[in-house]
Amino acid sequence: GQQLNQSPQSMFIQEGEDVSMNCTSSSIFNTWLWYKQDPGEGPVLLIALYKAGELTSNGRLTAQFGITRKDSFLNISASIPSDVGIYFCAGPPPGGGADGLTFGKGTHLIIQP
Amino acid sequence: ETGVTQTPRHLVMGMTNKKSLKCEQHLGHNAMYWYKQSAKKPLELMFVYNFKEQTENNSVPSRFSPECPNSSHLFLHLHTLQPEDSALYLCASSRTGSRSYNEQFFGPGTRLTVL
């Protein structure tokens, strides 16, 4: 099956720093989704991307749909303690319809005060 | 609060027990999903229901049995599970028929431990 590779696996940063993470695939995706999961909770949708090259922001978060359609990027500016969590990229397999999503393994963000 | 609720939040069961997980969505969506989340592995899709019809069974063992009586409710019936089935079970929903049909909204999950 398709795999999404997320990098880095974990990040240890200082509060106030900017964060960058990415997600790559060997297959083309038509939609990229970024989720955040807090401990003991389900993933929460942050940003959805639908078009190659698209750049979308949600507050301090900005995500981009790579022009090759095989990658996506998420940036967080001026990180704060509540940004701690696991960030997942996800996308639907080709074919459309109400299919499940393929998820990456996540980037674990840890912020040191 | 995402509009998707799951009960129970925690469940401990023996291998010979029978239990059920419940999911309810209050978003007016028509598709619902079960995922399994194990440590150090990506979320794994288990089942997909679209307008109450099962459209995908992702090679899930028969000891997991889904039920979708209507577009708002989804169950996962469990019987004779194995310890390796211990995981976080997540329910999600989405609205098909629009560009946003892939935007799935997740519940908080049920943390299952099989002894």
Side-chain angles (χ1 to χ4, degrees):
Chain A
Q2 296 183 0
Q3 288 188 340
L4 293 179
N5 301 304
Q6 287 192 246
S7 178
Q9 283 190 329
S10 57
M11 301 182 74
F12 295 79
I13 64 167
Q14 300 282 337
E15 184 178 348
E17 286 185 24
D18 296 342
V19 173
S20 292
M21 61 188 77
N22 66 69
C23 184
T24 61
S25 171
S26 58
S27 303
I28 288 175
F29 276 73
N30 294 317
T31 300
W32 286 96
L33 305 166
W34 284 93
Y35 285 86
K36 181 195 178 199
Q37 186 174 26
D38 292 328
E41 300 294 331
V44 174
L45 181 63
L46 300 173
I47 294 178
L49 301 162
Y50 295 99
K51 190 176 175 182
E54 180 181 354
L55 191 70
T56 298
S57 294
N58 178 5
R60 293 177 296 104
L61 277 62
T62 302
Q64 183 161 24
F65 193 139
I67 57 173
T68 66
R69 296 167 64 192
K70 292 183 177 182
D71 55 10
S72 181
F73 309 89
L74 178 69
N75 296 312
I76 305 172
S77 62
S79 58
I80 59 177
S82 61
D83 291 333
V84 166
I86 304 177
Y87 291 80
F88 294 99
C89 62
D99 299 320
L101 297 173
T102 297
F103 279 81
K105 289 187 176 181
T107 292
H108 194 173
L109 180 61
I110 298 162
I111 298 176
Q112 298 161 331
Chain B
E1 176 61 46
T2 63
V4 181
T5 58
Q6 289 186 244
T7 54
R9 293 294 306 272
H10 301 272
L11 178 62
V12 179
M13 59 187 289
M15 289 190 285
T16 58
N17 291 158
K18 289 185 180 181
K19 296 288 184 183
S20 295
L21 310 185
K22 179 183 176 182
C23 176
E24 183 174 359
Q25 59 94 2
H26 310 273
L27 300 170
H29 291 165
N30 54 281
M32 298 187 77
Y33 312 79
W34 280 117
Y35 287 86
K36 176 183 179 182
Q37 187 175 33
S38 305
K40 299 185 179 179
K41 293 176 71 175
L43 272 75
E44 300 172 73
L45 177 69
M46 299 176 73
F47 301 104
V48 179
Y49 278 83
N50 188 11
F51 288 102
K52 302 187 302 177
E53 299 298 319
Q54 184 175 311
T55 58
E56 184 151 348
N57 174 340
N58 208 26
S59 302
V60 180
S62 60
R63 57 185 184 269
F64 294 91
S65 174
E67 178 190 0
C68 188
N70 55 61
S71 293
S72 299
H73 295 86
L74 185 65
F75 296 89
L76 188 63
H77 304 300
L78 316 171
H79 63 98
T80 59
L81 294 192
Q82 304 298 311
E84 60 264 28
D85 296 322
S86 299
L88 182 67
Y89 288 84
L90 291 160
C91 172
S93 70
S94 70
R95 185 194 308 278
T96 60
S98 67
R99 186 179 85 154
S100 61
Y101 69 82
N102 288 308
E103 294 178 18
Q104 295 181 14
F105 292 80
F106 285 82
T110 295
R111 173 65 63 185
L112 174 67
T113 302
V114 181
L115 301 176

